[in-house]
C-alpha cells in the first residue's frame, strides 16, 4: 500500500423511498476508485471488505474505476473487486478517467470490461437490466468522452422502480421523469475544500451546485464524494465515502 492514508473512508447511510419498489433494497454505492499509482490492490481490497460488511443487496460503481493506462497496475486491483458479492450483483458504468485506457493496446475499453467481468462486475453502457420484478437498473456512458443514451438504457424497462447510474452529475438534465433515482460521482465532493472558498474544483460546468449529496432538482439524485483521488493524493474536508442507500417502497 503506497499511500495508506488513502484507504481511510467513512460509511454513510441514507434511507429514501423509491417509487415503484414493492420491497426494500440495500444498495452499496461506490464511485471514483481511481485505480492507478495512488490507489493499488491493497486499498481496493480494504474498500471491498468494508462494503461487504454492510451486506448489500446490490453494488453499483458510478464510474472512474481507473486512473491510468497501465495494465500492470489495473489488473491486480480490479481482481480484488471479485469480493463484491451481492444477491443482485455488482454493476459499473464508465467515467471520464476510464477512457484513459484507450492508450493501452486495445485502444478501447474492451480489456477493462473483460477484467471487470472476470471479477464479476458487469458494465452497463447505455443498457439496463430487470433485477427484480419491482426494480430496473440502468447505466449510461460517460458524458465527456462517451455517448450517453438514457433512452437506450431504459428501452427494456417494463415495470417497477428505475434506478439509474451514471458518472457525471451534469447529466442530471438529460434524465427523464420515469427514473426514480440517479446515482453519480465525478466531483469527489471537491476533494480539497478550502475554508470560505469551498471546493477547489468539482469538474462540473455548474460549479459547486452538484458538489455532493442529495438533490431534488432537476431530478432526484445523489452525488457521492467517491473513494479515490485524482491529480494529488490528498483529500481535505471531503472525506472518501462508501454510501449505503436503504431504498424502500414509496
Amino acid at each position: 500500500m503506497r499511500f495508506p492514508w488513502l484507504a481511510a473512508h467513512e460509511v454513510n447511510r441514507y434511507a429514501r423511498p423509491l417509487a415503484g419498489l414493492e420491497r426494500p433494497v440495500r444498495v452499496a454505492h461506490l464511485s471514483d476508485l481511481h485505480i492507478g499509482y495512488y490507489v493499488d490492490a491493497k486499498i481496493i481490497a480494504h474498500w471491498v471488505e468494508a462494503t461487504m460488511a454492510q451486506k448489500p443487496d446490490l453494488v453499483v460503481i458510478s464510474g472512474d474505476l481507473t486512473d491510468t493506462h497501465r495494465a500492470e497496475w489495473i489488473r491486480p486491483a480490479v481482481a480484488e473487486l471479485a469480493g463484491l458479492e451481492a444477491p443482485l450483483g455488482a454493476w459499473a458504468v464508465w467515467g471520464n478517467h476510464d477512457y484513459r485506457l484507450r492508450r493501452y493496446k486495445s485502444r478501447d475499453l474492451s480489456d477493462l470490461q473483460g477484467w471487470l467481468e472476470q471479477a464479476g462486475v458487469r458494465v452497463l453502457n447505455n443498457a439496463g437490466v430487470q433485477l427484480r420484478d419491482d426494480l430496473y437498473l440502468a447505466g449510461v456512458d460517460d458524458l465527456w468522452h462517451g455517448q450517453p443514451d438514457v433512452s437506450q438504457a431504459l428501452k427494456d424497462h417494463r415495470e417497477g422502480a428505475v434506478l439509474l447510474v451514471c458518472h457525471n452529475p451534469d447529466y442530471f438534465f438529460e434524465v427523464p421523469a420515469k427514473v426514480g433515482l440517479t446515482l453519480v460521482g465525478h466531483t469527489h465532493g471537491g476533494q480539497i475544500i478550502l475554508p470560505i472558498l469551498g471546493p477547489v474544483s468539482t469538474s462540473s460546468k455548474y460549479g459547486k451546485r452538484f458538489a455532493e449529496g442529495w438533490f431534488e432538482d432537476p431530478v432526484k439524485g445523489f452525488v457521492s464524494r467517491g473513494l479515490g483521488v485524482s491529480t494529488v493524493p490528498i483529500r481535505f474536508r471531503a472525506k472518501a465515502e462508501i454510501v449505503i442507500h436503504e431504498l424502500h417502497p414509496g
Side-chain angles (χ1 to χ4, degrees):
M1 194 180 296
R2 303 184 194 96
F3 301 88
W5 62 89
L6 293 182
H9 66 278
E10 57 188 28
V11 178
N12 293 316
R13 300 173 181 83
Y14 302 95
R16 288 289 192 282
L18 181 60
L21 275 187
E22 296 177 358
R23 54 194 189 278
V25 61
R26 178 179 296 167
V27 182
H29 178 196
L30 313 182
S31 194
D32 298 88
L33 307 183
H34 285 283
I35 293 168
Y37 182 71
Y38 298 144
V39 176
D40 58 18
K42 291 183 179 179
I43 292 179
I44 294 296
H46 177 77
W47 292 338
V48 167
E49 182 180 7
T51 301
M52 288 298 92
Q54 304 303 314
K55 296 179 169 50
D57 300 310
L58 169 66
V59 179
V60 299
I61 308 174
S62 54
D64 275 5
L65 294 94
T66 63
D67 200 23
T68 179
H69 66 282
R70 298 182 62 170
E72 67 270 24
W73 289 347
I74 296 173
R75 295 192 69 173
V78 166
E80 295 292 342
L81 297 178
L84 294 174
E85 298 180 350
L88 298 178
W91 306 82
V93 298
W94 299 136
N96 55 294
H97 281 254
D98 296 315
Y99 276 87
R100 291 183 176 185
L101 197 67
R102 288 181 297 185
R103 294 173 57 191
Y104 183 58
K105 64 182 180 181
S106 68
R107 293 305 206 184
D108 57 28
L109 296 180
S110 60
D111 288 284
L112 178 55
Q113 183 165 346
W115 302 333
L116 287 166
E117 289 176 351
Q118 288 173 19
V121 178
R122 286 164 285 184
V123 178
L124 286 174
N125 194 34
N126 297 329
V129 58
Q130 193 79 43
L131 295 178
R132 299 188 325 202
D133 56 3
D134 65 337
L135 179 60
Y136 184 87
L137 177 68
V140 296
D141 202 357
D142 175 60
L143 178 61
W144 285 3
H145 301 304
Q147 295 180 321
D149 187 340
V150 70
S151 296
Q152 178 69 18
L154 297 175
K155 72 180 181 63
D156 294 325
H157 174 251
R158 295 294 179 268
E159 58 183 341
V162 178
L163 180 63
L164 175 67
V165 184
C166 63
H167 180 60
N168 194 323
D170 291 4
Y171 196 68
F172 279 161
F173 294 94
E174 306 300 323
V175 176
K178 72 182 299 183
V179 174
L181 177 62
T182 303
L183 302 180
V184 307
H186 184 63
T187 66
H188 299 197
Q191 188 169 315
I192 297 173
I193 300 179
L194 300 178
I196 302 176
L197 296 178
V200 171
S201 173
T202 62
S203 296
S204 166
K205 69 179 183 180
Y206 299 102
K208 303 173 186 177
R209 177 175 177 178
F210 301 125
E212 63 172 299
W214 287 96
F215 296 90
E216 298 287 334
D217 181 41
V219 292
K220 292 183 179 180
F222 181 85
V223 182
S224 171
R225 297 193 299 267
L227 284 161
V229 293
S230 181
T231 308
V232 293
I234 298 171
R235 278 182 176 265
F236 181 67
R237 300 176 68 192
K239 292 182 178 179
E241 65 177 350
I242 293 170
V243 182
I244 304 299
H245 296 288
E246 301 277 3
L247 303 177
H248 56 84

